[in-house]
Amino acid sequence: MRMADVLQHVLLTMVIAGFLVCGSGAWYVKMPSHIKALWKSCLVIPCSFDYHQYPPKVPGRVVWYQYARSSYPLVYDAWNNRKVISKFSGKTSLVRHGPRDCSLQISRVDNSLHMEKIYAWVDPENVGRKTYKFYDTTVTIQVERTAEPPKISIYGEMKVGQSVTVQCSVVHTCPTIPPTLRLNIGSEWSKVATELLLDGTARTTLTASLRIQSVVQRVDCSVRHPGGLEATASDSFEAECSFQPLRVVPPSDRMFPEGKVSSVSCSVEYSCPKHVPTLTWNHEGMPATL
């Protein structure tokens, strides 16, 4: 082969390689590579896509497949529900919060989905694998049969008779149907909130007020997931005793005649019956009754 032909072949190879790199960078799909799912609960797999070349003709068309060496077993396809494989049939749906959202919800997770690897394909009738290899971006489902206990946090001044804020939270993968949280405390107010986290999971938090009644206080929190799995966490803490300011009551006429007995009282309110405070006067030897 002549040197000119060799150079032409090298340049052609470089041009083709450069085109493939640009083509592969024209699209992307983002989802976690692994995600935990709770047995009998639901699972939402976060997924998003974007592109700056080769736009889809039907951007709302998203199909999910099982990762396989041959063929394309269907996990979700709104146009071909009857062709979805049995382990996913009737369990999958899209959860779309925007035009480029491809998130998938799976209801009633069971053991058959453990370690299943699946992936999303946007507009498969028009966007081919030469534009983007969708099967290279997959998520593996890990089914857990035991619920994680919730986390308890307490904020405020821990004194008997005072109120503090108690938070009980649990991380899960079903933001559309969050678990139920319960505290064993009587509360003046409470609220529940669910927030999405950066890794695609969600955190549900129950916040309530607690009026401390004793030196040793225990807080129990239980969680029940949509599928029925439960877990409980407990936390105990020691509170400090609280004392109100001293109250000194002089005689009604506020007079202290020399040589005559006058009665003065000193009192204090306190929150711990087992910790009786000691009261002393600054004048030693004063007759006093408690």
Side-chain angles (χ1 to χ4, degrees), residues 249-264:
V249 180
S252 59
D253 56 4
R254 295 182 177 271
M255 299 296 290
F256 294 88
E258 185 177 355
K260 291 186 178 183
V261 177
S262 297
S263 177
V264 182

Side-chain angles (χ1 to χ4, degrees), residues 25-69:
W27 267 78
Y28 82 81
V29 174
K30 183 180 179 181
M31 70 177 73
S33 59
H34 290 79
I35 194 166
K36 290 183 178 180
L38 196 59
W39 181 59
K40 289 188 176 181
S41 185
C42 80
L43 167 68
V44 175
I45 302 174
C47 173
S48 61
F49 65 92
D50 204 353
Y51 52 86
H52 62 266
Q53 283 183 312
Y54 319 117
K57 293 182 180 179
V58 189
R61 171 94 169 121
V62 177
V63 179
W64 281 77
Y65 297 95
Q66 179 190 46
Y67 185 84
R69 292 184 177 180

Side-chain angles (χ1 to χ4, degrees), residues 14-250:
M14 292 175 65
V15 169
I16 294 175
F19 172 79
L20 290 176
V21 170
C22 292
S24 62
W27 267 78
Y28 82 81
V29 174
K30 183 180 179 181
M31 70 177 73
S33 59
H34 290 79
I35 194 166
K36 290 183 178 180
L38 196 59
W39 181 59
K40 289 188 176 181
S41 185
C42 80
L43 167 68
V44 175
I45 302 174
C47 173
S48 61
F49 65 92
D50 204 353
Y51 52 86
H52 62 266
Q53 283 183 312
Y54 319 117
K57 293 182 180 179
V58 189
R61 171 94 169 121
V62 177
V63 179
W64 281 77
Y65 297 95
Q66 179 190 46
Y67 185 84
R69 292 184 177 180
S70 60
S71 73
Y72 298 92
L74 284 174
V75 170
Y76 167 81
D77 187 351
W79 294 3
N80 300 284
N81 284 325
R82 295 182 179 180
K83 295 183 179 180
V84 173
I85 58 179
S86 59
K87 65 174 62 181
F88 291 100
S89 180
K91 297 181 179 180
T92 54
S93 59
L94 285 184
V95 181
R96 307 198 70 190
H97 300 289
R100 300 186 182 185
D101 194 333
C102 47
S103 300
L104 180 74
Q105 177 170 315
I106 304 174
S107 61
R108 305 186 307 279
V109 172
D110 56 39
N111 291 333
S112 67
L113 304 186
H114 184 59
M115 303 311 292
E116 272 288 356
K117 184 184 289 188
I118 60 178
Y119 62 95
W121 198 312
V122 181
D123 196 10
E125 287 77 22
N126 300 297
V127 181
R129 60 185 178 182
K130 291 183 180 180
T131 298
Y132 181 79
K133 295 182 179 179
F134 289 90
Y135 44 75
D136 283 347
T137 305
T138 63
V139 56
T140 300
I141 302 170
Q142 181 178 338
V143 179
E144 300 285 339
R145 292 183 62 91
T146 304
E148 292 288 334
K151 181 181 178 182
I152 299 174
S153 302
I154 302 171
Y155 306 94
E157 187 178 17
M158 296 184 185
K159 286 188 175 183
V160 177
Q162 300 293 321
S163 294
V164 294
T165 299
V166 177
Q167 286 190 335
C168 177
S169 61
V170 64
V171 175
H172 55 95
T173 53
C174 187
T176 56
I177 311 175
T180 301
L181 292 167
R182 288 187 176 89
L183 287 163
N184 68 327
I185 60 175
S187 179
E188 298 174 353
W189 60 268
S190 64
K191 64 177 181 179
V192 179
T194 297
E195 60 177 325
L196 296 178
L197 305 179
L198 294 177
D199 62 354
T201 60
R203 179 190 292 115
T204 296
T205 302
L206 170 61
T207 305
S209 65
L210 166 64
R211 188 171 182 84
I212 303 175
Q213 302 292 339
S214 59
V215 176
V216 179
Q217 189 78 48
R218 173 172 170 165
V219 176
D220 296 330
C221 181
S222 63
V223 58
R224 180 180 176 86
H225 292 272
L229 291 182
E230 298 179 334
T232 302
S234 299
D235 190 14
S236 298
F237 63 91
E238 292 188 5
E240 297 179 1
C241 297
S242 57
F243 299 88
Q244 298 297 322
L246 287 170
R247 184 167 177 262
V248 178
V249 180

